[in-house]
Amino acid sequence: AQTVTQSQPEMSVQEAETVTLSCTYDTSENNYYLFWYKQPPSRQMILVIRQEAYKQQNATENRFSVNFQKAAKSFSLKISDSQLGDTAMYFCAFMSRTSGTYKYIFGTGTRLKVLA
Amino acid sequence: DTGVSQDPRHKITKRGQNVTFRCDPISEHNRLYWYRQTLGQGPEFLTYFQNEAQLEKSRLLSDRFSAERPKGSFSTLEIQRTEQGDSAMYLCASSPPAEPRATDTQYFGPGTRLTVL
């Protein structure tokens, strides 16, 4: 069974600094997708960034980038130039498609606080 | 595009009562997911629909839980004989069709917070 582990329950970072959130996963599949979702306080979850496992190049979305290490099953999120609006819960998620069915598994989340 | 909507946003009920939640996905999305999220945890997958077909059900979805998507548009999640352990946020998400190009990104609704007294 697939698992997703986020080992950092809480983190804080100074505004304008860089922070990295960790995520590891376990799977026997070769084709899958990885995501980072952001859930601001009392607001709905939104996608931050996604990575297809077959792509070697790390995904980047403006200030957000990932370090995808397939062999190590590691998928960390780097936030550069942190802003107060980045304060949120961040969830790492794994998705696989097998025989037409989809499975999404989320980690337990990392609460990030950006300090002024 | 108004996004994924869920109704009600909050529900307080007494133990033993039945409750029903509704989810309206983004109109062109044929895939719909239900999750349960407890405080401080990530969403736990409950069930998945592709159009009107329920293709996947978690073992978390006990026989007191039932979900439907009769016309492949909105979906309902019913919990019968609620228990205090059912108290959680119930999230709905939708995704666009896998063809011609799958993105597999999920768009989440605001959730329905259930409190069972």
Side-chain angles (χ1 to χ4, degrees):
Chain A
Q2 293 91 348
T3 58
V4 175
T5 302
Q6 292 181 251
S7 58
Q8 304 153 314
E10 292 187 4
M11 293 191 74
S12 61
V13 62
Q14 289 294 135
E15 197 176 6
E17 296 295 307
T18 296
V19 64
T20 299
L21 308 184
S22 301
C23 174
T24 59
Y25 59 96
D26 190 22
T27 184
S28 57
E29 299 187 29
N30 195 45
N31 294 320
Y32 51 88
Y33 300 77
L34 296 163
F35 304 80
W36 279 97
Y37 283 89
K38 169 185 176 180
Q39 190 174 39
S42 302
R43 294 178 62 187
Q44 60 202 80
M45 190 139 35
I46 57 173
L47 177 72
V48 174
I49 198 166
R50 66 189 297 270
Q51 173 85 40
E52 293 94 336
Y54 63 86
K55 289 187 177 178
Q56 292 186 338
Q57 186 172 9
N58 289 325
T60 300
E61 286 287 341
N62 301 312
R63 298 183 296 107
F64 299 89
S65 61
V66 299
N67 183 4
F68 174 47
Q69 302 289 328
K70 190 172 184 179
K73 295 179 182 173
S74 170
F75 183 62
S76 61
L77 173 69
K78 185 171 83 170
I79 306 174
S80 303
D81 186 25
S82 298
Q83 300 176 0
L84 295 177
D86 296 333
T87 293
M89 281 290 286
Y90 287 80
F91 293 99
C92 178
F94 168 98
M95 196 283 291
S96 65
R97 270 186 274 160
T98 306
S99 302
T101 64
Y102 295 76
K103 283 189 178 176
Y104 248 87
I105 300 169
F106 285 79
T108 52
T110 296
R111 185 178 303 278
L112 177 68
K113 189 168 185 178
V114 180
L115 308 171
Chain B
D1 177 9
T2 58
V4 178
S5 62
Q6 292 186 246
D7 184 69
R9 295 289 304 276
H10 302 274
K11 178 71 177 177
I12 300 173
T13 191
K14 291 183 179 179
R15 188 177 53 188
Q17 297 294 304
N18 298 342
V19 294
T20 299
F21 309 141
R22 176 177 169 128
C23 171
D24 285 90
I26 294 171
S27 58
E28 63 268 25
H29 289 185
N30 68 335
R31 293 181 281 163
L32 186 147
Y33 302 75
W34 284 100
Y35 293 88
R36 182 174 68 187
Q37 186 179 23
T38 52
L39 199 62
Q41 298 296 314
E44 294 175 293
F45 171 79
L46 292 178
T47 190
Y48 158 66
F49 289 86
Q50 185 165 301
N51 300 311
E52 65 277 6
Q54 189 174 22
L55 297 185
E56 191 80 22
K57 285 173 61 173
S58 165
R59 54 188 166 83
L60 292 174
L61 214 65
S62 75
D63 56 3
R64 296 186 297 106
F65 288 71
S66 62
E68 294 182 344
R69 195 182 183 199
K71 297 182 180 178
S73 56
F74 72 92
S75 175
T76 58
L77 177 69
E78 181 183 16
I79 309 174
Q80 296 181 326
R81 305 181 302 281
T82 52
E83 302 172 355
Q84 288 184 324
D86 297 331
S87 295
M89 177 76 84
Y90 290 84
L91 297 172
C92 176
S94 69
S95 292
E99 301 296 336
R101 181 179 175 275
T103 67
D104 296 309
T105 297
Q106 296 195 336
Y107 296 80
F108 283 83
T112 294
R113 182 169 296 284
L114 173 66
T115 302
V116 182
L117 302 176

